[in-house]
Amino acid sequence: MKNLEQLYEISEAILQALENEHATNREQTIQQIDELIGKRETIIEQIKGPYTEDEEEIGQKVVQLNEQIKVKMDALYSQVKEDMKQVKQQKKLNRSYINPYGPIKTTDGMYLDRKQ
């Protein structure tokens, strides 16, 4: 029972960190979530059956929290993915200002002689 209660508390902490992600620094939030997931993983490995009715009830609550966590984690992942895409595009744009003729490779205006 003790392990399931800890699992529930850690799951709530993960959900709370995901909900407060917008208010704080994203890197710190991701690091905090990563640490909590590590703790949660060790607790899940320690949980063994058979379960009592109270433990099954806590398990159902954890499953519901997991669904909410998954939705929030997917949203965070898509935000990070979009930010990375924007950074990559910005780097490409900056390179084109520094060297505007760098990536251009055309054969326009070249004469190729077949008989050499």
Side-chain angles (χ1 to χ4, degrees):
M1 181 90 156
K2 180 181 176 187
N3 287 336
L4 284 173
E5 289 175 354
Q6 288 177 344
L7 178 65
Y8 182 74
E9 290 172 2
I10 290 175
S11 297
E12 280 186 328
I14 291 171
L15 186 61
Q16 189 68 30
L18 285 168
E19 288 175 352
N20 293 336
E21 185 267 329
H22 299 296
T24 60
N25 188 4
R26 184 179 296 160
E27 290 178 29
Q28 291 173 347
T29 303
I30 292 173
Q31 186 177 17
Q32 179 186 7
I33 291 170
D34 188 41
E35 290 172 6
L36 289 170
I37 288 174
K39 289 178 185 177
R40 185 175 161 188
E41 182 180 353
T42 57
I43 290 173
I44 289 174
E45 291 173 357
Q46 297 172 359
I47 296 175
K48 305 282 187 225
Y51 305 111
T52 65
E53 289 181 21
D54 292 337
E55 289 174 339
E56 288 182 13
E57 185 178 319
I58 292 173
Q60 291 297 325
K61 289 179 183 178
V62 169
V63 169
Q64 291 173 355
L65 282 177
N66 283 342
E67 291 173 3
Q68 293 175 3
I69 288 171
K70 184 179 181 329
V71 169
K72 300 264 186 200
M73 289 286 278
D74 288 342
L76 179 63
Y77 174 74
S78 63
Q79 285 178 343
V80 170
K81 188 175 175 182
E82 185 66 31
D83 288 349
M84 289 176 66
K85 189 177 184 182
Q86 288 177 353
V87 167
K88 189 174 183 180
Q89 189 175 22
Q90 186 66 33
K91 282 183 180 180
K92 185 177 179 181
L93 186 62
N94 287 343
R95 272 189 253 126
S96 70
Y97 280 118
I98 293 171
N99 188 5
Y101 302 109
I104 299 175
K105 294 183 181 180
T106 61
T107 57
D108 191 29
M110 287 179 42
Y111 174 74
L112 299 175
D113 188 12
R114 288 185 179 167
K115 300 177 188 177
Q116 281 188 353

